[in-house]
Amino acid sequence: MQRHILIGLTFFLISNGRVHSEIPASFQSLNQLTSYSDFTQIVQELDSDPRFTLSEAGKSSQGRSLWLLRIAHPNQKINWRVFFYAQQHGNEPAGKEALIYLAKSIQQDPKILPRGVELWLMPMVNPDGSEQDQRKNAVDADLNRDHMILEQLETQALHRAFRSIQPHLSIDCHEFGRDSDDYREQGWLEWPEIMMDYANYPLLNDEVVSYGAGLVQRMESPMIKKGINFHRYFVGGVPPDGEQRFSAPDMDGGLNGAGIYGGFSFIIEVGVYRKDNDDNHDLPRRVYVYTELLQQVLQDRKIRMQGLALFGRKIKPELPIWAPTNYFWAKLSESAMSIPVIDSATAKAISIPAPNFMPDLVIKKSVSVPLAYLINAEQADVFTDLLNRHEIPFQVIETPRDLLIQRCLLDTVEMDFDDVYHRYGGRVIATLNPKEKVLVEPGSLIVPVEAQNGIRVLALLEPTQMFGLYQYPTYLKMVTDDRILPVARILREK
Ligand SMILES: [Zn+2]
């Protein structure tokens, strides 16, 4: 695994925690948030331009339209599809504002969109949350933890869009607070201005993961040149004692939930610095740094050429030969990474050693890839809904049939926050039973593990998956008293 060192060599001139580097005049007036109704009006106006096509990807739980905007030059052969989506978290508006700005800029200056590129934008994935200035949607669900079970209308619509667009490259837009009390107590302000990470789900193939790593690294120099402090995205506590890691490798967030469709998937987080409890005094700068990064990704020709060389025009996810099921963040070397902060006393950017930064994703356990998965007839209804939401094909058994299977036993589900592995609970530990020949009853479901859907089927159904379905109450309830999970592995008969 590649080792990424955060470099804190670039010093920025700052005063009162604010960067001197000026933002262009066109951003300076962007200090008001765009409401849902203003947004609707903007995209409807753009729709009259021949380069823009507006559609409704679905509706939110309060019935607001989830607008999807396609932008492409007319009469051009498309070979590279890009999808930017924002505001899964309603109280993180800068990504939305940047996507609106980008769309308007392309209308005014079509050269911003390279030839042969089709750009799709969904700037408001969670309009209900946005209107309430809250993270969750109107029925109190965190959309960015719903990409596995797809119980929310908004995430269902987002995934339908993914399956129909099949983007080569997608970016999920978020924000983080860079002025947390924990840092302030140390006399520091967090100092990555904007951060980006790539899909790291262990089932993704190495080429896709290293393309992602390469792209994030490639963004560093153009951003730093513009006076924007850019880093690979990380989360965690305050250094030196707190633990840090890169973005979660689980399927339930947008980053990997999108990544399992096979294209290159990324997340961007821009840093919010509140002043006198005003969340948006620095909004123009956040929108500016967001727009710069998005345009850089959109316009970089080498990124496109490398991606096309890997994929061609159609995305074909590769079926892995084994399935990593358990993994954790670790540090494979003794050297400490560092974290950039602004020292409040001197107003200078400095680097703090972070000996508990865990940069390496270690696979603890893998299982062989089964031929298919078998779902018990009693639980078929719930799984039919789940598979339909993911548009994963399956068969229903009509006459009793002999199959060689392997059932799985649930050992534990950890529901509390785990202080060593830093995870919001839900870690599933399941073990494999010996192989057995069984007569399968009618009404049971068979879900084949096939090339096009293989990664998604494994991610969703593999019973020994550490962050699998049994972290959710609906599926945990199905586990029998003798701990048998409702999904078994169907094996090839020799
Ligand atoms: Zn977020």
Side-chain angles (χ1 to χ4, degrees):
M1 169 91 31
Q2 221 171 322
R3 196 149 296 134
H4 300 268
I5 308 293
L6 293 177
I7 302 165
L9 295 177
T10 320
F11 283 73
F12 290 79
L13 286 171
I14 48 166
S15 74
N16 304 325
R18 295 182 73 175
V19 184
H20 275 314
S21 83
E22 286 293 318
I23 62 171
S26 57
F27 288 93
Q28 273 159 11
S29 58
L30 299 179
N31 48 14
Q32 295 295 317
L33 296 177
T34 306
S35 69
Y36 169 75
S37 63
D38 288 348
F39 170 64
T40 299
Q41 199 182 337
I42 292 166
V43 289
Q44 284 172 346
E45 277 166 20
L46 287 170
D47 192 29
S48 60
D49 184 304
R51 289 186 177 80
F52 291 73
T53 314
L54 182 64
S55 60
E56 190 189 63
K59 286 206 188 287
S60 70
S61 60
Q62 290 182 336
R64 293 188 174 90
S65 297
L66 305 173
W67 295 121
L68 180 64
L69 202 53
R70 175 187 184 271
I71 317 175
H73 299 293
N75 308 317
Q76 260 189 27
K77 195 164 123 185
I78 301 300
N79 56 19
W80 186 247
R81 296 177 299 277
V82 176
F83 184 16
F84 296 156
Y85 56 107
Q87 222 181 11
Q88 286 194 75
H89 292 145
N91 58 351
E92 298 173 13
K96 165 187 70 181
E97 302 297 341
L99 294 187
I100 295 170
Y101 187 91
L102 181 62
K104 286 177 171 173
S105 309
I106 294 172
Q107 189 192 31
Q108 282 157 23
D109 179 8
K111 285 194 305 296
I112 291 172
L113 183 68
R115 292 177 66 80
V117 175
E118 184 182 61
L119 175 62
W120 294 81
L121 304 177
M122 201 193 282
M124 275 184 117
V125 177
N126 177 11
D128 301 347
S130 175
E131 290 296 277
Q132 295 299 317
D133 191 23
Q134 66 185 29
R135 178 181 175 92
K136 294 180 174 180
N137 71 355
V139 293
D140 204 33
D142 186 334
L143 299 181
N144 209 33
R145 303 287 181 270
D146 188 54
H147 290 262
M148 180 170 230
I149 48 177
L150 294 185
E151 285 182 346
Q152 301 305 314
L153 294 175
E154 295 87 351
T155 35
Q156 290 167 14
L158 184 61
H159 278 251
R160 279 197 304 275
F162 261 98
R163 291 191 296 269
S164 98
I165 298 168
Q166 298 192 32
H168 290 89
L169 190 153
S170 62
I171 298 181
D172 182 12
C173 302
H174 289 260
E175 295 190 82
F176 74 99
R178 61 182 183 87
D179 54 355
S180 64
D181 289 343
D182 294 343
Y183 273 77
R184 278 185 197 276
E185 267 170 36
Q186 302 288 326
W188 302 329
L189 187 65
E190 287 170 73
W191 186 227
E193 254 195 301
I194 190 158
M195 306 202 275
M196 183 176 194
D197 208 358
Y198 51 93
N200 55 0
Y201 193 56
L203 279 162
L204 300 179
N205 90 39
D206 287 347
E207 279 180 317
V208 170
V209 176
S210 48
Y211 175 96
L215 186 148
V216 171
Q217 220 161 40
R218 193 170 159 79
M219 291 300 109
E220 202 170 286
S221 139
M223 289 297 111
I224 301 272
K225 267 193 202 132
K226 290 190 167 116
I228 296 168
N229 205 13
F230 172 90
H231 281 271
R232 184 177 170 194
Y233 173 52
F234 62 88
V235 292
V238 182
D241 291 334
E243 186 183 305
Q244 303 81 28
R245 59 162 173 79
F246 295 120
S247 58
D250 317 327
M251 178 194 176
D252 62 1
L255 176 66
N256 289 310
I260 55 166
Y261 287 107
F264 305 118
S265 170
F266 299 88
I267 186 171
I268 293 179
E269 298 254 355
V270 76
V272 182
Y273 166 54
R274 291 168 194 85
K275 196 178 172 193
D276 306 326
N277 274 333
D278 176 5
D279 285 7
N280 291 321
H281 84 98
D282 65 348
L283 185 65
R285 179 151 184 100
R286 272 145 58 203
V287 179
Y288 163 66
V289 298
Y290 235 118
T291 308
E292 286 294 324
L293 183 52
L294 292 170
Q295 280 202 35
Q296 195 72 39
V297 174
L298 189 63
Q299 293 175 342
D300 191 313
R301 194 167 175 277
K302 192 176 167 197
I303 285 173
R304 212 154 63 234
M305 292 303 122
Q306 281 179 346
L308 280 168
L310 263 177
F311 278 147
R313 286 170 62 194
K314 193 171 166 16
I315 309 291
K316 290 187 278 298
E318 214 176 282
L319 183 64
I321 35 183
W322 62 83
T325 52
N326 289 58
Y327 38 84
F328 59 91
W329 289 105
K331 189 172 65 160
L332 302 180
S333 82
E334 286 172 26
S335 63
M337 295 170 67
S338 62
I339 286 182
V341 300
I342 292 171
D343 181 50
S344 310
T346 61
K348 285 219 165 79
I350 52 172
S351 282
I352 305 300
N356 290 314
F357 202 131
M358 302 290 152
D360 303 298
L361 189 61
V362 175
I363 309 294
K364 179 69 181 84
K365 191 170 172 58
S366 297
V367 296
S368 60
V369 172
L371 197 60
Y373 288 103
L374 174 70
I375 293 156
N376 290 343
E378 303 95 273
Q379 284 93 17
D381 283 355
V382 175
F383 277 88
T384 298
D385 289 346
L386 176 71
L387 293 166
N388 285 340
R389 291 198 294 268
H390 281 274
E391 287 179 37
I392 289 174
F394 59 91
Q395 303 146 22
V396 183
I397 293 189
E398 281 166 8
T399 49
R401 190 160 141 194
D402 271 326
L403 284 172
L404 180 66
I405 68 160
Q406 202 170 18
R407 294 192 202 278
C408 302
L409 294 181
L410 180 67
D411 287 339
T412 48
V413 182
E414 296 165 5
M415 282 305 176
D416 295 330
F417 182 83
D418 165 354
D419 217 25
V420 175
Y421 293 96
H422 279 258
R423 162 74 201 206
Y424 43 90
R427 204 155 59 121
V428 175
I429 306 293
T431 47
L432 297 172
N433 254 7
K435 297 171 190 176
E436 54 185 311
K437 201 72 175 266
V438 294
L439 186 66
V440 177
E441 56 172 329
S444 306
L445 310 180
I446 293 183
V447 189
V449 183
E450 289 163 337
Q452 187 67 26
N453 294 310
I455 295 179
R456 294 199 292 135
V457 173
L458 287 167
L460 197 60
L461 296 183
E462 172 51 47
T464 58
Q465 196 64 251
M466 180 168 60
F467 291 116
L469 287 174
Y470 310 98
Q471 63 187 305
Y472 302 100
T474 309
Y475 300 89
L476 186 58
K477 270 196 311 224
M478 297 177 185
V479 182
T480 60
D481 288 343
D482 45 6
R483 301 188 291 126
I484 296 174
L485 296 176
V487 180
R489 296 154 48 84
I490 301 180
L491 305 173
R492 206 177 294 275
E493 297 195 39
K494 293 265 158 56

